[in-house]
Amino acid sequence: MSVTICQSMGFVVSALGIGGIIASTCMDQWSTQDLYNNPVTAVFNYQGLWRTCVRESSGFTECRGYFTILGLPAMFQAVRALMIVGIVLGILGLLVCIFALKCIRIGNMEDSAKANMTLTSGIMFIVAGLCAITGVSVFANMLVTNFWMSTANMYQGMQNVQNRYTFGSALFVGWVAGGLALVGGIMMCLACRGLIPEESRYKAVSYNASGRNISYRTGPYKVGSGYEPETKTRKGAGYEEAARSEDGRRSYPSKYDYV
């Protein structure tokens, strides 16, 4: 029962994490304009992985996508790739995990197959969570670097510098979602241990005799009446190997040859 609960909880937590990764990738608030030195402004800028948006004080918002790929920084494209890889692995892990749930029976699937599928989905969730956390952390590092560079230029008297950007809400969603996917993957790997059948954990070792196998065959059991006289037999060379006659036929000794 505990294995089923652990597997089900791992599936639910991982599903929430993958959903959060998809949501954070699609969000536009990866970086927002810092309003510390300019709290009153008519234009508010924020950027995402796929487009940049401008919101005016009247409430009108205009977004424009990135029409170029080669013109974007390499680290920015790496963040995109990490988030996409995390989403793909997470979706594949969810599909595998659905068929691996112990509470769902599909045909005559054995517990060992479910254990392997559970372990596979758990590894996929762990890798997806690590990809999301790494992508968000790399983007956050880029923001921190640009923020302090812009701040240094402002203190040096350069007023015509670009706006400073700080962390957006998508970063926090990505961190939390990646952590949930990572925890769900660990729970799936722990549940795999309990799904392995007992007979497959301890395999018996069979020992074979090195010599030639000898088979013993017993003859028919004859019940006597108790009144027949005992006949004495004597084993000799003629008894072990029957002599052959001249015409090739086998001749057997008679009962009068052994007295």
Side-chain angles (χ1 to χ4, degrees), residues 37 149-162:
N37 293 328
M149 290 180 61
S150 301
T151 302
N153 293 333
M154 290 176 61
Y155 282 117
Q156 290 177 3
M158 299 180 182
Q159 299 296 331
N160 296 327
V161 295
Q162 60 181 0

Side-chain angles (χ1 to χ4, degrees), residues 1 31 132 146:
M1 186 65 180
S31 60
N146 295 331

Side-chain angles (χ1 to χ4, degrees), residues 26-218:
C26 298
M27 291 175 65
D28 296 327
Q29 290 81 14
W30 277 71
S31 60
T32 58
Q33 184 179 355
D34 183 31
L35 301 178
Y36 179 75
N37 293 328
N38 190 12
V40 179
T41 179
V43 178
F44 178 71
N45 299 322
Y46 55 93
Q47 299 175 355
L49 293 179
W50 312 102
R51 59 182 183 175
T52 178
C53 299
V54 177
R55 185 176 62 193
E56 299 179 356
S57 58
S58 59
F60 178 76
T61 302
E62 181 180 1
C63 296
R64 184 180 63 179
Y66 300 116
F67 298 105
T68 179
I69 297 178
L70 300 178
L72 298 175
M75 298 301 293
F76 190 84
Q77 296 181 6
V79 172
R80 279 182 170 183
L82 286 172
M83 299 303 293
I84 292 175
V85 170
I87 292 174
V88 172
L89 288 177
I91 293 176
L92 292 177
L94 289 177
L95 293 177
V96 174
C97 186
I98 290 175
F99 296 100
L101 291 176
K102 192 174 182 180
C103 57
I104 299 177
R105 282 291 178 183
I106 301 176
N108 296 326
M109 185 178 295
E110 300 179 355
D111 291 339
S112 58
K114 285 183 174 291
N116 294 331
M117 295 175 66
T118 302
L119 180 61
T120 303
S121 62
I123 294 175
M124 288 184 177
F125 291 146
I126 292 175
V127 176
L130 291 177
C131 288
I133 293 175
T134 303
V136 175
S137 300
V138 169
F139 194 90
N141 184 43
M142 294 171 54
L143 286 179
V144 171
T145 303
N146 295 331
F147 182 86
W148 290 114
M149 290 180 61
S150 301
T151 302
N153 293 333
M154 290 176 61
Y155 282 117
Q156 290 177 3
M158 299 180 182
Q159 299 296 331
N160 296 327
V161 295
Q162 60 181 0
N163 297 326
R164 296 187 307 179
Y165 289 90
T166 184
F167 293 170
S169 58
L171 296 181
F172 302 100
V173 174
W175 273 320
V176 174
L180 290 176
L182 185 62
V183 172
I186 294 175
M187 294 177 67
M188 296 296 292
C189 293
L190 293 177
C192 169
R193 180 70 178 177
L195 290 174
I196 301 176
E198 294 292 339
E199 59 270 10
S200 62
R201 295 183 185 179
Y202 307 99
K203 296 182 179 179
V205 181
S206 59
Y207 297 93
N208 296 326
S210 59
R212 184 178 298 175
N213 294 332
I214 302 174
S215 60
Y216 298 92
R217 182 176 299 174
T218 59

